[in-house]
């Protein structure tokens, strides 16, 4: 099973679009896609507004998306070609409580792609891509924490330079950098990199195991 994690430094930088783009470009690998949302007390961690992503009686919840209208992020994963889409929701700082159940839900998956930064505390993916948009000032602590674990950067073109403050990109200085001008969010070069870095090695490993 290939495990890919897509993170980013803020909301609305294209993380969901990168996930959906990779699923669409590599449909034959039957992806299970996961979006992880962490929230405060009745307040969405994505935009600071009251929302219904909080569960009143539990610290976490995992639901499977059925809607294929493309109206939500997880619905977009299905539209792109994922065989299954899950939405994991937890209170801030309590993702660890949801991880045993999430791991169990993923046991039967052929290949997994997850939209999250914080999940890197609990999983070691085959590939971690981080999406950076220099025109967006906010830079999440979780993105800073795991910047040195990025295998590649998906970087928005921004001729005016970065708006974020006091953020060093030295941890990704040696990583491949794929520059994008959306749309699209996923270029043929990104697809080729993902395939050669993760998919092909996993296929070869499966072949070797079958022969032994």
């Amino acid at each position: 099973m290939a495990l890919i994690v897509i993170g980013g430094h803020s909301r609305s930088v294209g993380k969901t679009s990168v996930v959906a783009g990779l699923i669409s470009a590599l449909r034959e690998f039957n992806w299970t896609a996961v979006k992880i949302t962490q929230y405060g007390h009745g307040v969405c961690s994505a935009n600071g507004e009251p929302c219904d992503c909080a569960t009143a009686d539990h610290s976490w919840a995992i639901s499977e998306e059925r809607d294929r209208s493309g109206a939500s992020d997880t619905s977009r994963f299905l539209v792109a070609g994922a065989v299954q889409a899950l939405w994991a929701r937890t209170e801030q700082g309590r993702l660890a409580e949801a991880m045993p159940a999430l791991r169990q839900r993923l046991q039967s998956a052929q290949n997994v792609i997850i939209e999250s930064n914080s999940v890197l505390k609990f999983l070691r993916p085959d590939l971690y891509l981080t999406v950076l948009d220099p025109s967006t000032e906010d830079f999440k602590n979780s993105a800073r924490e795991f910047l040195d674990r990025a295998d590649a950067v998906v970087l928005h073109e921004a001729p005016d330079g970065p708006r974020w403050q006091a953020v060093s990109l030295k941890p990704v200085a040696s990583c491949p950098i794929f520059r994008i001008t959306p749309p699209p969010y996923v270029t043929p070069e990104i697809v080729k990199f993902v395939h050669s870095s993760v998919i092909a090695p996993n296929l070869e490993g499966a072949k070797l195991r079958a022969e032994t």
Side-chain angles (χ1 to χ4, degrees):
M1 180 181 75
L3 173 60
I4 298 174
V5 172
I6 307 297
H9 72 96
S10 184
R11 60 184 295 263
S12 300
V13 297
K15 300 184 297 294
T16 299
S17 295
V18 171
V19 173
L22 288 173
I23 292 170
S24 180
L26 299 166
R27 284 180 177 237
E28 64 271 29
F29 296 102
N30 298 322
W31 297 99
T32 290
V34 182
K35 181 180 180 69
I36 294 176
T37 300
Q38 296 192 70
Y39 53 83
H41 295 290
V43 177
C44 182
S45 62
N47 56 25
E49 298 293 334
C51 68
D52 59 2
C53 68
T55 53
D57 54 343
H58 298 96
S59 62
W60 61 269
I62 301 174
S63 58
E64 181 172 353
E65 182 65 79
R66 303 290 185 183
D67 177 37
R68 292 180 177 270
S69 70
S72 67
D73 290 348
T74 45
S75 179
R76 288 175 61 189
F77 297 159
L78 291 179
V79 172
V83 297
Q84 185 181 41
L86 303 174
W87 184 24
R89 301 162 334 261
T90 80
E91 293 181 5
Q92 286 284 359
R94 303 184 73 170
L95 180 56
E97 297 177 24
M99 287 308 300
L102 182 58
R103 289 176 188 273
Q104 186 174 20
R105 297 284 289 266
L106 297 179
Q107 282 183 350
S108 60
Q110 291 190 36
N111 296 290
V112 176
I113 186 165
I114 301 176
E115 180 186 331
S116 174
N117 291 312
S118 298
V119 76
L120 294 175
K121 293 180 180 179
F122 310 102
L123 298 176
R124 184 168 293 277
D126 298 295
L127 194 70
Y128 170 49
L129 305 182
T130 187
V131 184
L132 304 180
D133 182 357
S135 67
T136 300
E137 184 175 356
D138 175 57
F139 212 105
K140 290 181 179 180
N141 289 333
S142 60
R144 295 174 189 251
E145 181 179 357
F146 298 112
L147 199 57
D148 62 350
R149 287 182 57 180
D151 296 292
V153 176
V154 178
L155 181 67
H156 289 247
E157 292 284 7
D160 296 332
R163 293 184 59 193
W164 56 64
Q165 302 294 319
V167 177
S168 173
L169 297 184
K170 288 183 179 180
V172 294
S174 61
C175 291
I177 296 178
F178 299 99
R179 299 180 183 275
I180 60 171
T181 304
Y185 285 84
V186 173
T187 63
E189 292 76 18
I190 296 174
V191 174
K192 182 178 179 181
F193 174 76
V194 171
H195 191 280
S196 63
S197 300
V198 178
I199 304 300
N202 272 275
L203 289 176
E204 184 63 26
K207 180 180 178 182
L208 290 174
R209 288 192 295 272
E211 292 174 349
T212 56

